[in-house]
Amino acid sequence: AVQLVESGGGSVQAGGSLRLSCTASGLSFDAHHMAWFRQAPGKEREGVALLTVDGVITYFTDSVKGRFTISRDMGTSTLYLQMSSLKPDDTAVYYCAAGAYTHNGRLLGADYWGQGTQVTVSS
């Protein structure tokens, strides 16, 4: 069975940093587009960043550009999201996803999802 296990969430003050990790198993990591999504309280889920099998990176949320970095380690089948200069608006549950896909320029969904990790940024 496919498993995506996130870690690294927590509570930080504005301006701080966190690194989220997502370890994948049960799938060919290098054969799936990988992505991070987030869902803030009372809001719809939004696609944050995509890393394709070819290594192409796209950030879909304007507010994270220049602050968040998506990366991967093929050797350990781990996806990362380095988050810096965190803001209270970044507070959300962050989800790792495999088999991500886009439509009309939006990071729309994925075939497989992690359980989510909470990130809380206080002002």
Side-chain angles (χ1 to χ4, degrees):
V2 174
Q3 280 195 313
L4 301 174
V5 180
E6 299 110 332
S7 61
S11 297
V12 295
Q13 290 194 324
S17 300
L18 284 173
R19 187 177 78 159
L20 306 183
S21 300
C22 169
T23 302
S25 62
L27 56 74
S28 298
F29 187 72
D30 57 358
H32 289 77
H33 299 325
M34 301 297 296
W36 289 97
F37 290 77
R38 68 183 182 184
Q39 187 165 21
K43 295 187 177 180
E44 290 186 354
R45 183 184 65 203
E46 65 174 347
V48 176
L50 172 69
L51 179 49
T52 71
V53 296
D54 296 324
V56 176
I57 292 173
T58 305
Y59 297 96
F60 288 84
T61 302
D62 287 342
S63 65
V64 311
K65 292 177 181 176
R67 299 188 298 119
F68 289 12
T69 302
I70 187 172
S71 62
R72 64 187 174 188
D73 183 333
M74 292 294 203
T76 60
S77 297
T78 302
L79 182 73
Y80 298 102
L81 186 67
Q82 177 68 47
M83 305 185 295
S84 303
S85 302
L86 283 162
K87 305 175 181 179
D89 284 348
D90 295 319
T91 295
V93 177
Y94 284 73
Y95 296 91
C96 170
Y101 50 87
T102 62
H103 182 67
N104 287 341
R106 289 183 58 210
L107 184 55
L108 197 62
D111 295 327
Y112 305 102
W113 296 88
Q115 82 285 356
T117 185
Q118 177 71 48
V119 171
T120 302
V121 185
S122 58
S123 58

